[in-house]
Amino acid sequence: MSSPSKPAVPSPQFHNTLTRAKGAFVPIDPTRVRMYVCGPTVYDYAHIGNARPVVVFDVVFRLLRRVYGDAHVTYVRNITDIDDKIIQRHLESGEAIEEITRRTADAYVADMRALGALDPSVQPRATAHIPEMIAVIERLLAAGNAYVAEGHVLFHVPSDADYGRLSGRSRDEQIAGARVDVAPYKRDPADFVLWKPSAPHQPGWASPWGRGRPGWHIECSAMSAAHLGANFDIHGGGHDLIFPHHENEIAQSECAHGGAMAHTWMHNGFLVVNGEKMSKSLGNFFTVRDLLGKWPGEAIRLLLLKTHYRAPLDFTEDGLRQARDNLDRWQRAIQRGSAGMDKADFEAAVVVAPTGDLLANLADDLNTPGAVAHLNVLATTIFDELARGEDARARAFAAELCAAGRFLGFLSRSASEWFAGEDGGGGPDAAEIEGLVASRLAARKAKDFAGADRIRDELKARGVILEDGPKGTTWRRG
Ligand code: AMP
Ligand code: ZN
């Protein structure tokens, strides 16, 4: 099953939406491999469907770092902090826009870390890149790909002969699919907004076309170019972004800068509930935050990786239970396989353990189900070796399972910590937390702020984090 020496890392093959085929991944510059993934619009908590691209591209990031070296991979995941949904939320709740976006972006970063995702190299915010957006729009105007109409700047789709290449949509489908209300000032129904005017009560920035704000698509063209350059290796996101978002990003970036925006386009399939895409608008969603109150982040992560990223993923709580049981089994196999071993010796064995089979799976278009199956085989092998009295072999496989699991973002806790957390040992249960949250609220109402802070600190010491928002206090296990 495993060879004693570390095998060479296989070159990755990825499915490219642009070519509709799996092909060898060849970076433009192997000393500077660059990936951009569209991040969240920060007006509300992320649901577990939103977490799917984060966890999937986190594994791509980990694989690229292993193949090309940590210092040679740059991963950009943006934060969209200007959008009409955010303005709408502000009008509904009265909370300041900056407060909504700061609070939601912080929650997003914390939630994604709790799912074992590494922080991207850069997390640019749209509002910090308005001058770059204006500059791209000016280039498009100068090149004849855009026009100004009634305070708006629009991209003129017929000016780009390559438009539609990514999605493969015909012109009729583009117009129908764009679902844009065909404003009278549009020269063509498929034209889309680069810049739009802001009313006095809406956020806006000074521009050559008056006070206004950017369209969504131009944000990613400007932020990717600012942090990765005009041409980079991988662009990712959920399947729903292929059209119109990514099609429009390509049109803007390639008309403004020339060359291919990204060489490889990767898209994850939907997370579905009873066959329907999980989404805020359908109301069939579970926030990551709520799930983290009940399930370990690693169980959520494993559920997301047990299905191949391009296939639909059916979300059920039973799936989470199975994922947690699966993690229990890995932990138990490592615990038993390494029993009697000095901790430092075991850690040293983990560092040199082979991960070739794991990497071969990941290099094959991110075959995470294959990788998980490989870890399950290792666990079975450990139990078999122990049953045969082959303790030394069991130890070697335990180190291999631990190395592979950690590479995938699992097994961050020791078995004793893991099982203690699961039994509720040490951590308060949900009923107790809710009770303390209510007591804290009562203390605050009575202006006993020191008492309220004491409750917050006590919960923090027991691994529970409280967050105050416009709808009250929420909690999560930290
Ligand atoms: P949004 O905030 O809706 O723009 O979504 C952020 C990211 O989550 C995008 O990459 C979407 O494609 C992705 N996404 C949203 N809903 C789902 C879902 N149900 N399954 C998988 N990915 C999704
Ligand atoms: Zn984007």
Side-chain angles (χ1 to χ4, degrees):
M1 158 171 288
S2 55
S3 59
S5 62
K6 276 203 173 191
V9 184
S11 301
Q13 302 233 340
F14 295 131
H15 182 273
N16 188 350
T17 308
L18 205 54
T19 59
R20 290 157 182 75
K22 188 161 85 174
F25 172 71
V26 182
I28 301 167
D29 175 358
T31 68
R32 207 173 147 246
V33 180
R34 289 158 288 162
M35 173 165 80
Y36 184 95
V37 175
C38 297
T41 303
V42 282
Y43 65 102
D44 207 346
Y45 291 121
H47 61 64
I48 181 178
N50 301 133
R52 192 176 190 196
V54 174
V55 170
V56 161
F57 288 99
D58 177 61
V59 179
V60 176
F61 184 38
R62 286 167 186 260
L63 175 65
L64 295 174
R65 280 158 58 103
R66 176 62 69 95
V67 176
Y68 301 99
D70 291 2
H72 301 299
V73 183
T74 307
Y75 170 24
V76 179
R77 187 182 70 206
N78 73 288
I79 289 181
T80 293
D81 60 352
I82 174 71
D83 181 273
D84 287 357
K85 288 197 217 80
I86 302 172
I87 301 176
Q88 189 57 32
R89 187 53 61 100
H90 154 71
L91 294 175
E92 285 161 11
S93 71
E95 194 183 5
I97 287 188
E98 295 71 28
E99 191 52 32
I100 296 174
T101 57
R102 189 198 54 76
R103 190 170 53 73
T104 315
D106 286 354
Y108 180 83
V109 169
D111 288 351
M112 299 308 129
R113 281 185 189 152
L115 298 184
L118 302 174
D119 285 342
S121 326
V122 192
Q123 295 193 68
R125 286 170 181 250
T127 52
H129 293 78
I130 303 288
E132 289 92 329
M133 294 174 204
I134 290 175
V136 179
I137 297 171
E138 284 184 318
R139 289 177 81 112
L140 291 170
L141 283 165
N145 296 108
Y147 57 95
V148 182
E150 296 184 19
H152 294 74
V153 187
L154 292 124
F155 186 93
H156 191 41
V157 168
S159 74
D160 177 12
D162 285 337
Y163 190 86
R165 219 157 28 101
L166 181 72
S167 61
R169 288 194 183 216
S170 68
R171 189 166 152 73
D172 284 350
E173 288 168 327
Q174 286 164 20
I175 294 167
R179 269 185 279 123
V180 278
D181 37 334
V182 181
Y185 49 78
K186 280 190 182 178
R187 287 190 195 157
D188 185 274
D191 293 354
F192 59 89
V193 166
L194 300 170
W195 188 264
K196 56 186 161 190
S198 289
H201 70 281
Q202 293 170 326
W205 290 263
S207 83
W209 319 287
R211 183 176 172 278
R213 60 192 190 281
W216 172 34
H217 316 302
I218 197 71
E219 298 179 7
C220 288
S221 283
M223 284 186 274
S224 60
H227 294 279
L228 299 176
N231 314 109
F232 53 93
D233 298 295
I234 297 177
H235 194 319
H239 204 258
D240 51 334
L241 298 188
I242 296 175
F243 189 88
H245 185 53
H246 288 168
E247 197 75 79
N248 293 354
E249 279 189 38
I250 293 177
Q252 297 163 156
S253 293
E254 298 189 0
C255 290
H257 306 297
M261 180 188 193
H263 288 205
T264 303
W265 287 81
M266 295 175 72
H267 293 99
N268 63 271
F270 292 144
L271 183 133
V272 297
V273 185
N274 299 326
E276 264 189 318
K277 181 193 169 196
M278 183 180 283
S279 72
K280 296 246 166 75
S281 51
L282 289 173
N284 61 349
F285 64 94
F286 295 84
T287 65
V288 172
R289 186 132 298 204
D290 283 346
L291 291 171
L292 283 170
K294 289 202 254 169
W295 300 94
E298 290 190 8
I300 301 172
R301 181 177 177 91
L302 182 55
L303 175 80
L304 294 172
L305 294 178
K306 277 170 96 175
T307 300
H308 188 258
Y309 77 96
R310 297 180 56 219
L313 191 165
D314 205 357
F315 174 78
T316 60
E317 294 235 23
D318 197 47
L320 279 172
R321 201 163 298 117
Q322 287 173 23
R324 193 194 54 202
D325 291 349
N326 205 149
L327 287 159
D328 283 354
R329 189 162 176 273
W330 292 349
Q331 288 282 13
R332 210 163 283 126
I334 293 169
Q335 192 178 40
R336 295 207 189 136
S338 64
M341 217 175 160
D342 178 77
K343 204 164 179 242
D345 289 346
F346 180 68
E347 287 301 324
V350 172
V351 171
V352 296
T355 47
D357 293 327
L358 170 76
L359 296 174
N361 273 298
L362 298 182
D364 179 14
D365 194 27
L366 217 68
N367 182 2
T368 55
V372 170
H374 168 64
L375 268 71
N376 284 333
V377 170
L378 284 170
T380 304
T381 311
I382 293 168
F383 292 126
D384 289 351
E385 297 290 2
L386 286 172
R388 277 201 289 272
E390 296 278 1
D391 290 6
R393 290 176 59 83
R395 286 175 178 182
F397 286 120
E400 188 172 341
L401 175 56
C402 192
R406 287 187 193 165
F407 183 87
L408 280 174
F410 300 111
L411 305 173
S412 59
R413 286 186 271 173
S414 69
S416 50
E417 288 165 342
W418 171 261
F419 288 117
E422 202 165 86
D423 298 342
D429 64 17
E432 188 186 349
I433 299 170
E434 301 288 355
L436 285 166
V437 168
S439 309
R440 177 170 167 266
L441 183 65
R444 287 173 66 169
K445 280 208 177 118
K447 301 224 180 313
D448 173 15
F449 296 113
D453 286 349
R454 240 188 336 269
I455 296 174
R456 154 175 268 174
D457 294 345
E458 182 202 325
L459 280 169
K460 190 168 177 208
R462 296 171 73 190
V464 177
I465 313 236
L466 301 188
E467 262 147 343
D468 297 316
K471 288 190 204 142
T473 303
T474 56
W475 58 269
R476 67 186 164 85
R477 297 188 199 277

